[in-house]
Amino acid sequence: LRHAYPQSRHHAATPMAEEEAASTSPGKDELRRLIVAAGEELRAARAGGDSGAGADVLARLLDLKQRYEALTGEEFRTKSVKRSRKEAAASGAAPSAAQPNPNPPKRAKQAKVDLGRFTPAADPMQLPPPASSFPPWAPRDFFRFEVLHTSRKPGSRARVGRIHTPHGVIETPCFVPVGTNGALKAVDERQGREAGTQLMFCNTYHLLVHPGPRVVAGAGGLHRFMNHEGPIITDSGGFQVFSLGETTEDDVAEMKRRKVREGNSASLLATGERGAVFRSYHDGTTIELTPESSVATQKQLASDIIIPLDELPPHGMSRERLHASVRLSHRWMARSLRAHLAEPRQQAMYGVVHGGTDEELRRESAEYLATLPFDGFAIGGSLGADRAEMLQLLRFLVPLLPADKPNHLLGIADPESSAAVVPLGIDTMDSCNPTRIARHGTLLCTGGELKIKQSRFLDDHGPIDPAVETISHSRAYLHHLFKQHEPLYMTLASQHNLIFMHKLLADMRQKILNDEL
């Protein structure tokens, strides 16, 4: 349901972009000007913490530098660096420490990735390996799920359960906040735990780009790296990688919206049966992501629950292409599962059910994955254009999933959607929405969203939400902090929204136990 918290960022066309588009073959001086402007834009995006915009600008900057080198036969260098080198040579002195080093150490040359290896399967409808080629699922001594109570309310599939992991027990149904880079933005470990966080979601893609799995493994895994005590779930990196692809006519409005990318700024370089290749938004290096490498990365991260690599098909894809995408995801997930089973390391793996809003394809996906020894199931891919379409899909799909294993709804967890999916039998759900909207001035309250920047809160010394035991600060104080751009605002607002979401799910668990939900 990304219309409530869209993934895409919409940027107004810049003069630089307009000028670049106006000239299909710029000369040397024009290319230099465009490169300098793109560099300044990249620095501004990174300073503002906007990694999505930074990825777009970096891709354009690298493309401009390649065009410059092809035109001039030399690597691009800024005039200031060249000038400092000439002046140093003329004076016989070393460059000033205040000036850029004219001879910076060169980064080790990266081996070129053979994009030719990433080609589609000869038969895109090739069936995945049969269940008979895998060992049967067996109970894990480090991971188990128990259903404590299923609601007796007519028409409800809601249930209260417990997921036992090496790092603690998760009471379900449960809201799962997202710590994209291994951190809940503006909230530290203690504050997140006191807000009620049980399970935290971290993104493999971002951690793969920086600091890299080797660094995390050197700390002893994500838990020690983050100083995090509770369970962690990591994704495969597939959602972010395939969001980097150029948008096409298939990318229509949907709940899980792909990033809108202009021109040739996409960072997904190739995809095929082997996996995918993308350009790092951090330093421009090319990175391979295969089912095996995704699992290997998540082994180094040492999270409690891991996700196999899958493809992200857009909502408007034709049924023929969507079916081929489902088959590809099944083949990738089978490879991921084999790699995982070869070295479980006290980690559970969830299969990801695909098929878009096509019920027949969703059934095929659920039935195939249910035959494999996964420890739980996630519901991924496109969930429709709006909440109504998502709920219609879940009413059909959830009953097809094994009742004795936990399920997870990927990427959807605003208050309204959470209240709607729990009665359908959803156990856990993740979203970065509550903390993101908090940072931008929206507080979740029992009576609806509160826009704290509004002037009516200037003299409102009442609690944020009288119905929820939350942070002790008043609406007037948070209004003041927001208007004055105080960093403390983001921490307090994020804490409140986390407390609200965890309290909402705790109330739902009690209502299920009372057969009221």
Side-chain angles (χ1 to χ4, degrees):
L1 180 69
R2 301 286 166 104
H3 72 277
Y5 36 97
Q7 294 293 309
S8 58
R9 297 177 175 89
H10 302 279
H11 302 285
T14 62
M16 180 184 70
E18 293 173 353
E19 291 175 21
E20 183 179 354
S23 177
T24 56
S25 301
K28 177 179 178 179
D29 291 342
E30 178 66 5
L31 278 173
R32 291 189 62 86
R33 190 184 69 79
L34 292 173
I35 291 171
V36 170
E40 293 174 351
E41 188 178 350
L42 179 61
R43 284 189 291 275
R46 287 177 170 172
D50 192 342
S51 61
D56 293 341
V57 179
L58 176 61
R60 188 170 70 243
L61 178 61
L62 293 173
D63 178 65
L64 288 169
K65 287 187 175 182
Q66 289 175 356
R67 291 161 65 183
Y68 181 89
E69 186 172 356
L71 177 66
T72 65
E74 61 182 21
E75 182 181 356
F76 173 82
R77 292 185 182 276
T78 60
K79 290 183 178 179
S80 60
V81 171
K82 285 185 175 181
R83 187 181 300 118
S84 66
R85 179 190 296 154
K86 289 179 180 179
E87 291 173 352
S91 64
S96 168
Q99 296 177 329
N101 182 1
N103 296 296
K106 292 185 177 181
R107 183 193 306 145
K109 191 171 183 180
Q110 182 191 18
K112 289 188 177 181
V113 176
D114 182 7
L115 300 183
R117 294 185 299 165
F118 291 80
T119 57
D123 178 11
M125 299 304 294
Q126 177 185 340
L127 290 171
S132 59
S133 64
F134 290 87
W137 183 84
R140 319 294 190 198
D141 58 3
F142 54 84
F143 182 91
R144 66 184 176 90
F145 174 64
E146 58 176 328
V147 177
L148 302 179
H149 181 78
T150 300
S151 177
R152 298 186 182 91
K153 182 178 179 180
S156 175
R157 296 185 60 87
R159 59 187 188 174
V160 170
R162 287 194 184 120
I163 303 174
H164 298 260
T165 78
H167 289 91
V169 176
I170 305 159
E171 304 285 345
T172 67
C174 166
F175 164 68
V176 183
V178 176
T180 300
N181 289 297
L184 296 175
K185 286 183 172 55
V187 178
D188 68 16
E189 163 68 14
R190 177 185 58 80
Q191 293 164 333
R193 185 171 62 250
E194 291 177 351
T197 298
Q198 301 184 75
L199 175 63
M200 183 174 169
F201 199 106
C202 294
N203 295 118
T204 295
Y205 165 76
H206 293 287
L207 294 169
L208 176 63
V209 168
H210 193 277
R214 180 189 61 80
V215 173
V216 176
L222 267 179
H223 292 87
R224 292 186 180 179
F225 186 62
M226 299 162 49
N227 191 27
H228 184 77
E229 296 181 357
I232 297 174
I233 178 173
T234 51
D235 60 2
S236 67
F239 179 85
Q240 287 79 18
V241 168
F242 289 105
S243 293
L244 299 174
E246 290 187 20
T247 52
T248 68
E249 66 276 6
D250 295 331
D251 291 285
V252 299
E254 62 173 309
M255 299 174 73
K256 292 186 178 179
R257 190 170 299 141
R258 289 155 58 101
K259 293 180 184 294
V260 175
R261 299 187 177 274
E262 302 294 337
N264 191 31
S265 63
S267 298
L268 178 62
L269 303 180
T271 183
E273 188 69 21
R274 176 180 172 83
V277 181
F278 65 96
R279 182 185 293 114
S280 166
Y281 63 78
H282 175 66
D283 58 9
T285 59
T286 53
I287 300 176
E288 292 187 31
L289 189 68
T290 69
E292 295 80 10
S293 70
S294 173
V295 171
T297 296
Q298 293 181 82
K299 293 298 176 186
Q300 291 179 286
L301 298 180
S303 49
D304 298 273
I305 302 170
I306 65 177
I307 302 294
L309 184 64
D310 56 345
E311 188 183 29
L312 173 66
H315 179 48
M317 179 178 281
S318 69
R319 190 181 190 281
E320 180 182 7
R321 291 181 59 203
L322 178 60
H323 199 177
S325 175
V326 171
R327 293 282 176 87
L328 175 62
S329 287
H330 286 176
R331 296 192 297 272
W332 279 358
M333 284 189 273
R335 287 165 54 190
S336 298
L337 182 59
R338 289 196 197 283
H340 164 63
L341 293 177
E343 195 176 6
R345 293 194 190 182
Q346 292 201 323
Q347 293 174 302
M349 177 177 274
Y350 284 12
V352 184
V353 181
H354 276 276
T357 56
D358 189 299
E359 292 185 354
E360 184 178 337
L361 295 182
R362 285 284 181 177
R363 180 186 295 277
E364 175 184 326
S365 185
E367 290 180 348
Y368 172 68
L369 296 177
T371 66
L372 303 184
F374 286 110
D375 302 297
F377 297 90
I379 299 171
S382 172
L383 298 173
D386 52 33
R387 185 179 296 119
E389 192 168 12
M390 175 188 73
L391 296 179
Q392 179 180 350
L393 172 65
L394 294 179
R395 290 188 190 98
F396 168 81
L397 178 58
V398 175
L400 301 179
L401 303 178
D404 60 342
K405 294 182 180 180
N407 65 65
H408 181 90
L409 183 61
L410 286 165
I412 307 294
D414 59 289
E416 294 79 10
S417 294
S418 298
V421 302
V422 166
L424 302 181
I426 295 298
D427 297 314
T428 56
M429 63 216 77
D430 73 271
S431 174
C432 57
N433 168 250
T435 49
R436 180 197 295 141
I437 64 174
R439 298 192 302 274
H440 290 85
T442 299
L443 304 180
L444 301 174
C445 293
T446 305
E449 294 182 349
L450 186 153
K451 307 294 185 182
I452 198 64
K453 69 179 180 180
Q454 295 175 352
S455 60
R456 63 191 177 100
F457 298 116
L458 176 64
D459 294 309
D460 188 342
H461 300 288
I464 303 300
D465 186 344
V468 175
E469 186 177 346
T470 180
I471 59 174
S472 59
H473 304 78
S474 68
R475 295 178 175 187
Y477 185 59
L478 263 70
H479 170 81
H480 161 68
L481 294 179
F482 183 85
K483 298 295 284 187
Q484 294 304 112
H485 307 288
E486 286 288 344
L488 179 60
Y489 165 79
M490 293 192 288
T491 295
L492 294 177
S494 298
Q495 277 184 285
H496 166 75
N497 279 7
L498 288 174
I499 291 170
F500 180 89
M501 286 301 301
H502 291 310
K503 179 67 163 53
L504 176 66
L505 271 295
D507 289 346
M508 289 186 195
R509 291 195 293 271
Q510 188 58 53
K511 289 180 179 179
I512 296 170
L513 292 172
N514 296 338
D515 299 317
E516 298 171 357
L517 185 65

